[in-house]
Amino acid sequence: MKEFTDKVAVITGAGSGIGRALALGLAARGARLALSDVDEDGLAGTVESAEALGVDVRGYALDVADRAAVLAHADVVAETFGRVNVVVNNAGVALGATVEDMTFEDYDWLMGVNLGGVVNGTKAFLPHLIGSGDGHLVNISSVFGFVGVPTQSAYNAAKFAVRGFTEALREEMLAARHPVAVSCVHPGGIKTNIARHARGGSGGDQEAAAAGFEKIAMTTPKKAAETIIRGIERRSARILIGPDAYVIDAIPRVLGSAYQRPLATLTRLGFKRMGKN
């Protein structure tokens, strides 16, 4: 897809971060936009900014974990815009907790959004993408879809699953010769608010974790969006975002499971500093 003018792009989690940057990047290229988020105030800000660029844009309050709502949303978007060319399943949440301390409620919440949202969005919009004759599906995984990280078991589980789901779907589209390209995105540290809105841990622990993440996050949402758009243009199967993503992608391929021991050691030292051991 080399040209976005008049293409219809659907983006979840468009109220902030990568989703907002993607919306504005595609709007600048002339795309028509169907944007959604559970954060209606943030979504309204994105819609207003996109409208200022002179494109057709609609905003929808949507919980991607609600399957019935996503299926209905797909029908509304297709009817309103006449077709769907690009879908970006971007909505995501974070949870920082050990398996021992993690609650089932928090686990189900994260999986419902980070994996369920991707599956729901893919299933709901895939027929419309195929019918467009020029479709592109983008699912957001993470570098945590390459390596396991202590206190991130639920996030790892979702992002590893998104990677497998998306790669299998791409193979199916190629085998069936459907006119749909499929990309899996693996961002490294992106300067968004996801860590500050994460569940798990006490207030102090969460603040410290968010501050630490913000120090090491290397890539702006705008840069991430530019990389994703370039990947769509090139029909890339895998899109890595940020120099840290390339390093983390290489670690398990070079070290195999040996990478796990130093991570465990670093975690143990971190726990000691926090007085947990």
Side-chain angles (χ1 to χ4, degrees):
M1 188 174 292
K2 298 293 185 181
E3 178 62 52
F4 292 98
T5 302
D6 203 38
K7 299 293 186 182
V8 178
V10 177
I11 305 171
T12 67
S16 63
I18 294 175
R20 172 175 285 182
L22 267 174
L24 298 182
L26 290 173
R29 290 164 172 81
R32 301 165 68 201
L33 303 174
L35 310 178
S36 65
D37 206 303
V38 292
D39 175 8
E40 296 187 49
D41 290 337
L43 178 62
T46 304
V47 169
E48 182 178 0
S49 296
E51 285 177 335
L53 296 174
V55 299
D56 182 13
V57 54
R58 311 288 176 91
Y60 303 87
L62 180 69
D63 177 2
V64 297
D66 184 338
R67 180 167 297 159
V70 176
L71 291 170
H73 174 61
D75 290 340
V76 168
V77 169
E79 182 177 353
T80 300
F81 288 88
R83 66 181 185 280
V84 177
N85 300 104
V86 180
V87 173
V88 184
N89 288 310
N90 166 73
V93 294
L95 167 64
T98 65
V99 174
E100 184 178 9
D101 293 336
M102 178 176 61
T103 68
F104 284 114
E105 179 186 14
D106 283 348
Y107 172 83
D108 290 341
W109 166 74
L110 182 139
M111 295 297 285
V113 176
N114 289 8
L115 177 57
V118 167
V119 174
N120 294 340
T122 298
K123 286 282 288 177
F125 281 101
L126 189 58
H128 301 295
L129 291 173
I130 294 171
S132 75
D134 182 25
H136 201 120
L137 177 73
V138 180
N139 289 336
I140 308 295
S141 178
S142 167
V143 292
F144 283 11
F146 295 139
V147 296
V149 179
T151 75
Q152 295 297 312
S153 59
Y155 196 81
N156 281 140
K159 296 304 185 179
F160 268 83
V162 167
R163 173 186 166 193
F165 176 83
T166 306
E167 291 179 2
L169 174 65
R170 181 173 187 272
E171 294 160 13
E172 291 171 2
M173 294 296 99
L174 291 170
R177 296 187 176 180
H178 285 315
V180 179
V182 180
S183 299
C184 191
V185 180
H186 297 273
I190 310 297
K191 297 180 184 296
T192 70
N193 291 325
I194 189 169
R196 292 201 172 273
H197 295 158
R199 290 188 184 182
S202 66
D205 290 346
Q206 188 59 43
E207 181 66 26
F213 173 81
E214 289 167 2
K215 286 181 181 178
I216 64 173
M218 304 178 72
T219 305
T220 65
K222 182 178 180 180
K223 179 63 177 177
E226 291 171 353
T227 303
I228 293 170
I229 292 171
R230 187 164 61 249
I232 295 173
E233 292 171 338
R234 296 174 177 175
R235 300 173 67 87
S236 301
R238 177 178 288 187
I239 302 171
L240 302 182
I241 300 178
D244 49 342
Y246 286 87
V247 172
I248 295 171
D249 175 40
I251 286 173
R253 290 190 283 110
V254 173
L255 298 179
S257 61
Y259 80 85
Q260 295 171 0
R261 188 168 294 277
L263 276 181
T265 300
L266 289 172
T267 302
R268 185 183 305 114
L269 293 173
F271 284 170
K272 286 183 177 179
R273 285 196 296 270
M274 292 185 289
K276 292 188 175 183
N277 277 329

